[in-house]
Amino acid sequence: MARAVFVCSSKKVQAGSVTSLQEKFLALKKTQQAVVLAHNYQRKEIQEVADFVGDSLGLSYAAQQAKGEVILFCGVHFMAETAKIVNPGKKVLMPDLHAGCSLADSCPADQLADYLGKHPGLYVVSYVNCTAAVKALSDVICTSGNAERIVRRVPANREILFLPDRNLGDWVMQKTGRKMRLWDGDCYVHMEFTASSIDRIRKEHPEAPVVAHPECTRAVRALADEVCSTEKMVAYCKNNPADTFIVVTEEGMLHRLRREMPDKKFLAGPTDHCACAECRYMKMNTLEKAVAALENMAPEVQLPAEVIAKAKIPIERMLEWSLK
Ligand code: 13P
Ligand code: SF4
C-alpha cells in the first residue's frame, strides 16, 4: 500500500483565483512555518490552501511525516488529537476546538472502560473516530481506508469488540466474514441517507455509478457500486470511465472530487430532506477562524502525557499493519 495517500493541495491554487483572505492565510502559514492538514470534508476555501487534503488515514501519515514545529489541523477534534499523539513535541492548532464528532461522542471512555471490565479478554479495534482516551483503551486503531486489512490481522483466537461505528463494523464483517461485537454508535450525517433517497437518484441517473462511505447503513451500501473511504472515492472515480457519479457521503467530498476531476460530474447523494449532507462539526472550521488560529497560535490541542503514551501504541500498530 502506498505510504502517501494524500495530495499536496496548495500547489493547485491557481494564480489569480486566490481570495485576499486566502492570500493572508498563505502568508501567515509561511511566516509561522505551519503545515496545514485538511480533511476531505472541509470547506472548499480551506481545501484550496491546505498543504495536504485527504482522508483520516492519509492525514495520520501526513501528521507523522510533518516537517516544522506547527501543524494547523482543519478537521474534527479526534483527528487533531491523532496528529498530536504522533507528534507530541509539536504545536497542533485547530481553527475551532469545538469541532467534535457525534460518532466519537457515542463511545465515552468511562462507558468503554466499564464494558471492558465486565467483558475481559476482548480485542478492541477502534475506528479512528473516537477520543484519545478511548484510543488509550484500544488494542489497534483503524480508519475506513484500512479497517478490513486491520481486522484481518487480529489473531484468530481473539474475540473482537469493534467501535464506535456499528455500520462500518457491519461492513467489515461482511467483507471479512469475521464475527465481531459491535458498539452501538453511528454518524448522524451518514444515517440521513436512506435506501429510498438513494434509489430515487439512481433511477434519475441510471448511468451514474454510486459511491458510498461505509458509515452508511447496510441498506444504502447495498445500492452502491463501490463502498470505500473518502480517499478511495477519488481513485475509484478517476479509474472508472463514467463521466457522472453519485457521491453518498458528506458534501465537502464533492469539492475534492471536482478539483481533482474537473471534466467529470459529481452529484450529491440526497437524503430524504435535502440534496446535501453537511457535517455541522466539520463546517465549524472556517477560513476566518483558520487565519485567527495562525495569528494567535491558538487554540491548541492539549492532551495529558499518559493518554498520549497509551494512545500512541494502537495508532502505531495501525500504521505498521497498514503497510505490511
Ligand atoms: P474517512 O476515514 O473516509 O476520512 O472518513 C472520516 C469520517 O469522519 C467519515 O465521516
Ligand atoms: Fe463525525 Fe459523521 Fe462528522 Fe465524520 S461526518 S466527523 S463521523 S459526525
Side-chain angles (χ1 to χ4, degrees), residues 41 76 78 100-103 129 187-190 215 250 279 281-282:
Y41 295 165
V76 290
F78 73 79
C101 167
S102 68
L103 182 51
N129 295 40
C187 160
Y188 89 97
V189 179
H190 289 88
E215 286 175 20
E250 208 272 350
C279 172
Y281 304 105
M282 286 280 179

Side-chain angles (χ1 to χ4, degrees), residues 110-122 181:
D110 57 342
Q111 277 183 31
L112 175 61
D114 191 47
Y115 187 88
L116 294 177
K118 288 180 183 138
H119 304 88
L122 293 172
R181 286 188 193 215

Side-chain angles (χ1 to χ4, degrees), residues 39 41 55-56 78-79 127 129 143-144 190 213 215 229-230:
H39 189 264
Y41 295 165
D55 67 352
S56 303
F78 73 79
M79 295 178 178
Y127 183 31
N129 295 40
T143 70
S144 54
H190 289 88
H213 197 275
E215 286 175 20
S229 75
T230 56

Side-chain angles (χ1 to χ4, degrees), residues 156-227:
N157 62 346
R158 299 293 301 274
E159 186 183 1
I160 297 176
L161 169 65
F162 188 95
L163 62 89
D165 190 42
R166 64 171 185 280
N167 291 307
L168 177 66
D170 179 58
W171 179 65
V172 174
M173 285 207 292
Q174 284 182 307
K175 303 273 284 184
T176 61
R178 185 154 179 178
K179 201 160 163 25
M180 306 188 289
R181 286 188 193 215
L182 303 180
W183 193 267
D184 193 18
D186 57 45
C187 160
Y188 89 97
V189 179
H190 289 88
M191 289 300 287
E192 284 182 9
F193 301 111
T194 63
S196 65
S197 69
I198 301 308
D199 197 38
R200 200 172 59 239
I201 192 163
R202 258 206 101 109
K203 285 189 178 125
E204 284 163 19
H205 302 273
E207 75 298 345
V210 174
V211 278
H213 197 275
E215 286 175 20
C216 295
T217 62
R218 185 187 276 223
V220 169
R221 296 195 312 264
L223 293 170
D225 296 283
E226 180 69 4
V227 177

Side-chain angles (χ1 to χ4, degrees), residues 72 92-98 289 292-293 296-301:
L72 174 64
V92 178
L93 307 171
M94 281 184 76
D96 190 326
L97 221 45
H98 300 290
K289 289 183 195 173
N296 304 326
M297 295 297 266
E300 185 181 352
V301 176

Side-chain angles (χ1 to χ4, degrees), residues 35-48:
V35 175
V36 179
L37 309 181
H39 189 264
N40 287 323
Y41 295 165
Q42 288 297 284
R43 294 169 188 274
K44 180 174 178 280
E45 58 274 24
I46 291 181
Q47 292 195 25
E48 285 172 349

Side-chain angles (χ1 to χ4, degrees), residues 1-6 55-66 82-87 126 128 135 139-143 145-147 149-150 153 311-324:
M1 185 184 155
R3 194 172 175 86
V5 290
F6 45 84
D55 67 352
S56 303
L57 181 61
L59 293 175
S60 302
Y61 284 122
Q64 197 188 38
Q65 294 159 17
T82 306
K84 181 69 184 174
I85 292 163
V86 297
N87 291 286
S126 296
V128 69
K135 288 187 177 77
D139 291 293
V140 68
I141 306 304
C142 70
T143 70
N146 65 15
R149 189 184 183 98
I150 296 294
R153 290 285 303 258
K312 205 178 168 95
I313 298 166
I315 292 174
E316 284 182 345
R317 187 167 290 137
M318 167 187 82
L319 295 174
E320 192 195 317
W321 285 8
S322 304
L323 290 172
K324 284 190 223 150

